[in-house]
Amino acid sequence: MVFRTYMDQALAEAEAASARGEVPVGAVLVSPAGEVVARAGNRTRELFDPTAHAEVLVIRAACEALGSERLPGYDLYVTLEPCPMCATVISAARIARLYYGASDPKSGGVAQGPRIFSHSQCHHVPEVYDGLSAAPAEALLKDFFAARR
Amino acid sequence: MVFRTYMDQALAEAEAASARGEVPVGAVLVSPAGEVVARAGNRTRELFDPTAHAEVLVIRAACEALGSERLPGYDLYVTLEPCPMCATVISAARIARLYYGASDPKSGGVAQGPRIFSHSQCHHVPEVYDGLSAAPAEALLKDFFAARR
């Protein structure tokens, strides 16, 4: 299935992030035509930038390339449930569909905690599909944090 | 009072943003020693970047200059209640104190809506002081949107 291919690319980005010593989360942004327009893993440590989550990096890259603050019709694939920052950016950029892997009880902002998409202050709500390739996404995170303990 | 001087600088940044056609919000970041280390207004339109809110711009600039993802002991002054994205970044960067002006019933994420700092998924909660120079901050926003209608 096509969505599986996109999530596999996001997982590859998460693996590459892990190898760089970054929290292993990866994201892929797909245009309305089905083309992958940006892929990234976390780079907060490398860039000294607390906003450099995978989701923010792909959205910023695609917006810059397109010359637009908004990406209507674009789909985002990410290996972990977005945090509240990323969920808010996903909404602000008018992403059409959000596909994510593992849930994140510790820092998630979609299905728990602030539940960003559930308030009237959220002016665009994407379609959300969770649990895709959740097992390998979670395994990457567990291995990463286990190795640091 | 000193905090008034910082907020005046944030208001000046909001005015400059308005003159550039950006939503008039301004922010100033102050080091533990009381030095202004970054000031900015919104630049989402100019940069084609939905994350380029004033708060994100000053935090990213200070983190880059300092070579750190975190800014413990730093204070942020912003003319408008931060949105959920900015509130999450403020927490991630470990900002000590948040001073803001006008409240934002439409898009705010601190005192309403997702109330970012009130969930266990928020790992650092800054001290929050609201309502500082709220009247001029709100007037700038009202004038900006009235001129566009």
Side-chain angles (χ1 to χ4, degrees):
Chain A
M1 279 175 292
V2 171
F3 78 74
R4 194 63 181 274
T5 308
Y6 297 136
M7 194 54 97
D8 284 348
Q9 292 185 49
L11 283 166
E13 289 293 336
E15 277 178 26
S18 183
R20 293 191 304 266
E22 302 273 358
V23 175
V25 179
V28 161
L29 194 64
V30 179
S31 76
E35 192 195 353
V36 172
V37 294
R39 25 185 300 175
N42 276 10
R43 290 190 180 271
T44 59
R45 288 169 193 182
E46 175 191 342
L47 301 177
F48 304 123
D49 181 353
T51 74
H53 286 188
E55 302 94 310
V56 165
L57 293 178
V58 295
I59 289 172
R60 294 182 69 209
C63 282
E64 193 180 355
L66 203 70
S68 168
E69 286 172 78
R70 295 181 177 180
L71 302 166
Y74 283 66
D75 295 343
L76 180 71
Y77 292 77
V78 55
T79 57
L80 184 67
E81 177 186 350
C83 79
M85 169 186 74
C86 291
T88 307
V89 177
I90 287 164
S91 172
R94 305 295 191 268
I95 298 292
R97 279 166 292 270
L98 163 65
Y99 300 87
Y100 71 82
S103 50
D104 187 0
K106 191 173 156 280
S107 305
V110 172
Q112 46 215 319
R115 291 182 171 77
I116 291 298
F117 303 136
S118 72
H119 301 275
S120 61
Q121 283 81 3
C122 181
H123 308 302
H124 165 81
V125 175
E127 295 174 33
V128 178
Y129 304 91
D130 63 354
L132 278 82
S133 304
E138 207 172 312
L140 274 172
L141 287 155
K142 279 194 175 150
D143 291 350
F144 180 82
F145 287 110
R148 254 133 233 273
R149 251 175 233 128
Chain B
M1 279 175 291
V2 172
F3 77 73
R4 195 60 183 276
T5 308
Y6 297 137
M7 194 55 99
D8 284 348
Q9 292 185 48
L11 283 166
E13 289 294 335
E15 277 178 27
S18 183
R20 294 191 305 266
E22 303 272 357
V23 174
V25 180
V28 162
L29 194 65
V30 179
S31 77
E35 191 195 352
V36 171
V37 294
R39 26 186 299 176
N42 276 10
R43 291 191 180 269
T44 60
R45 287 169 195 181
E46 175 191 343
L47 301 178
F48 304 123
D49 181 353
T51 75
H53 287 187
E55 302 95 310
V56 165
L57 293 177
V58 294
I59 289 173
R60 292 182 69 211
C63 282
E64 193 181 355
L66 203 69
S68 168
E69 288 170 78
R70 294 181 177 179
L71 302 166
Y74 283 66
D75 295 342
L76 181 71
Y77 292 77
V78 54
T79 58
L80 184 67
E81 178 186 349
C83 79
M85 170 185 74
C86 291
T88 307
V89 177
I90 287 163
S91 172
R94 305 294 190 268
I95 297 292
R97 282 167 289 271
L98 164 64
Y99 300 86
Y100 71 81
S103 50
D104 186 0
K106 193 173 154 277
S107 304
V110 173
Q112 46 214 318
R115 290 179 171 79
I116 290 298
F117 303 136
S118 70
H119 301 274
S120 62
Q121 285 80 4
C122 182
H123 308 302
H124 165 81
V125 175
E127 294 175 33
V128 178
Y129 304 91
D130 63 352
L132 278 81
S133 303
E138 205 171 315
L140 274 171
L141 286 155
K142 279 195 175 148
D143 291 350
F144 180 81
F145 288 111
R148 256 134 232 273
R149 249 173 235 129

